[in-house]
Amino acid sequence: MPGMFQNMFPFGTAQLGGLPLMPAQAMTQQATRHARRVYVGGLPPLANEQTIATFFSHIMTAIGGNSAGPGDAVVNVYINHEKKFAFVEMRTVEEASNAMALDGIIFEGVSVRVRRPTDYNPSLAATLGPSQPNPNLNLAAAGLTPGGIGGAEGPDRIFVGGLPYYFTEVQIRELLESFGPLRGFDLVKDRDTGNSKGYGFCVYEDQAATDVACAALNGLKMGDKTLTVRRATISSGQMKSEQETMLAQAQQHIAMQKMVLQVGGFNLPGMPRGPDEVPTKILCLTEVISADELMDDGEYEEILEDMREEGRKFGDLTNVVIPRPDPNGEQVDGLGKVFLEYGDPSDCAKAKDSLGGRKFGGNVVTAVYYPEDKYFQGEYGA
């Protein structure tokens, strides 16, 4: 992605296994790149391209994950020092899948996250090679336990948010396993304190349990919390259906807004506005997040959950939309913005009054009402 990475260090980009890449081979490498890369987040401060490549090549050899034979498994490393993450490109699709078992491994004294990158296409990758780690890997050689947090990956991955912070990992597992045995579970914890951050990810052994668990647990009240349980990746069909529903809601909202404005102004109590400002149910926040922070799935879900928690303080928050960077580098409308959708304009006004002007990461947050017709049609660049 242009300007995304500060450094790129090649490891044998012109050759593989000592043999020069022919044009056809190079094309194959390009076509499989999305399935051969792994995301590594939470890197230690002194990590660089060479140390990352050496470490992961060594570990892959130690656990028996080098399916392509002798030699280094790592081909390239693309690192972003500021955000402490990197993309590590492996020789083969199978070796990249084996590397998924390394999630949580200790690198230079720090437990790092190993994930699929945002451009990973599960259906396409399934035709290129194994999508799961080899079950016979010697993970003990890397100080890891089989079936641990590294198993919470795949197309049927579930996001579980809104968990009470006092819930233990055992209690959460018991709740989730009431719908079937888990293949993997990852409770996200604060690196400094080790305490739960209130969300995690899981994958069921039987994929048929995925939607059943989501339907049963989503919206469930647990103490003062409400669970958010859904697939971590929304299919295009689901997204289209949601967009159609949102468009229908938008048309209703616009019609109601016009009626109110015709009656004689839209100025509810406690809702100050400028002479040209038309209150809506959508609040747009800027200067809150950067595009880099949205690249990592874990960080994105954490930001999304934090925004939900904050937005609920002001009333009936029905949805949060945070546009994410396109993995192919295409322009994305609304990048860097956060949209809070409320059920009532007065609640939106409360949020605007409270959030506007706050300092976040040294920046002053700007909060403005956003046109409902633009929002519900997915036009976030207005």
Side-chain angles (χ1 to χ4, degrees):
M1 295 178 61
M4 184 66 193
F5 301 102
Q6 297 169 352
N7 294 284
M8 182 180 77
F9 191 91
F11 299 94
T13 53
Q15 60 182 25
L16 190 62
L19 298 174
L21 283 178
M22 301 300 291
Q25 291 173 300
M27 289 174 63
T28 301
Q29 292 293 296
Q30 181 67 30
T32 61
R33 180 162 287 124
H34 79 97
R36 292 187 295 104
R37 295 193 312 161
V38 298
Y39 167 92
V40 181
L43 292 170
L46 300 181
N48 59 47
E49 295 88 345
Q50 186 65 60
T51 59
I52 293 170
T54 301
F55 174 79
F56 278 93
S57 290
H58 172 76
I59 287 297
M60 287 289 287
T61 301
I63 66 174
N66 284 5
S67 59
D72 293 338
V74 177
V75 176
N76 287 302
V77 174
Y78 308 81
I79 188 170
N80 183 303
H81 289 289
E82 182 183 357
K83 296 299 179 182
K84 295 183 173 56
F85 73 85
F87 288 137
V88 179
E89 185 178 337
M90 315 301 284
R91 291 183 297 185
T92 66
V93 172
E94 185 174 357
E95 287 179 341
S97 295
N98 287 342
M100 288 296 99
L102 298 175
D103 187 29
I105 193 167
I106 303 299
F107 172 41
E108 296 184 359
V110 173
S111 175
V112 296
R113 300 187 301 275
V114 180
R115 302 279 193 269
R116 295 289 190 184
T118 54
D119 66 346
Y120 180 71
N121 186 324
S123 57
L124 180 58
T127 66
L128 302 174
S131 57
Q132 298 299 326
N134 187 320
N136 299 318
L137 295 176
N138 180 18
L139 296 182
L144 297 171
T145 304
I149 61 177
E153 292 291 339
D156 295 304
R157 189 172 182 234
I158 296 176
F159 169 73
V160 184
L163 293 165
Y165 297 114
Y166 53 82
F167 261 42
T168 66
E169 194 163 341
V170 173
Q171 290 173 315
I172 299 169
R173 272 185 173 274
E174 288 178 354
L175 173 66
L176 297 172
E177 287 177 341
S178 60
F179 299 93
L182 295 173
R183 192 186 77 220
F185 173 64
D186 178 4
L187 177 63
V188 180
K189 299 177 181 178
D190 185 279
R191 181 176 298 163
D192 297 324
T193 65
N195 296 329
S196 166
K197 284 194 171 185
Y199 73 96
F201 300 89
C202 74
V203 175
Y204 284 95
E205 289 184 5
D206 181 3
Q207 60 180 339
T210 303
D211 292 324
V212 175
C214 290
L217 295 175
N218 189 49
L220 182 67
K221 294 281 187 180
M222 303 195 74
D224 60 344
K225 295 275 191 176
T226 301
L227 293 186
T228 299
V229 183
R230 55 173 172 75
R231 284 178 177 268
T233 304
I234 301 176
S235 69
S236 58
Q238 287 175 301
M239 195 172 294
K240 182 179 179 182
S241 175
E242 288 185 4
Q243 288 174 343
E244 290 172 349
T245 302
M246 289 164 62
L247 183 58
Q249 291 175 341
Q251 293 169 342
Q252 294 178 356
H253 289 322
I254 295 167
M256 291 176 63
Q257 187 183 46
K258 287 181 178 177
M259 288 175 60
V260 175
L261 290 171
Q262 288 171 355
V263 170
F266 196 167
N267 193 14
L268 300 180
M271 187 184 293
R273 62 183 178 92
D276 299 321
E277 196 174 27
V278 179
T280 69
K281 298 178 183 179
I282 314 301
L283 187 65
C284 175
L285 306 177
T286 57
E287 303 298 330
V288 180
I289 52 177
S290 67
D292 291 354
E293 294 172 302
L294 303 175
M295 289 295 294
D296 174 23
D297 287 343
E299 283 193 50
Y300 174 76
E301 296 294 351
E302 183 178 349
I303 292 169
L304 202 59
E305 189 61 27
D306 287 344
M307 288 299 168
R308 286 196 192 98
E309 289 291 324
E310 187 64 25
R312 289 189 186 116
K313 296 177 181 178
F314 309 104
D316 180 21
L317 181 70
T318 59
N319 194 25
V320 177
V321 174
I322 305 177
R324 295 186 72 179
D326 186 283
N328 298 317
E330 298 293 331
Q331 181 66 34
V332 175
D333 288 339
L335 197 59
K337 296 180 181 179
V338 175
F339 297 90
L340 304 181
E341 177 190 348
Y342 286 90
D344 189 278
S346 62
D347 292 338
C348 186
K350 295 174 189 174
K352 181 177 182 295
D353 291 342
S354 179
L355 297 176
R358 278 194 190 180
K359 280 201 171 183
F360 189 90
N363 298 321
V364 178
V365 176
T366 300
V368 297
Y369 295 118
Y370 198 79
E372 292 179 9
D373 56 340
K374 299 289 187 185
Y375 170 80
F376 285 108
Q377 291 179 48
E379 297 178 14
Y380 304 128

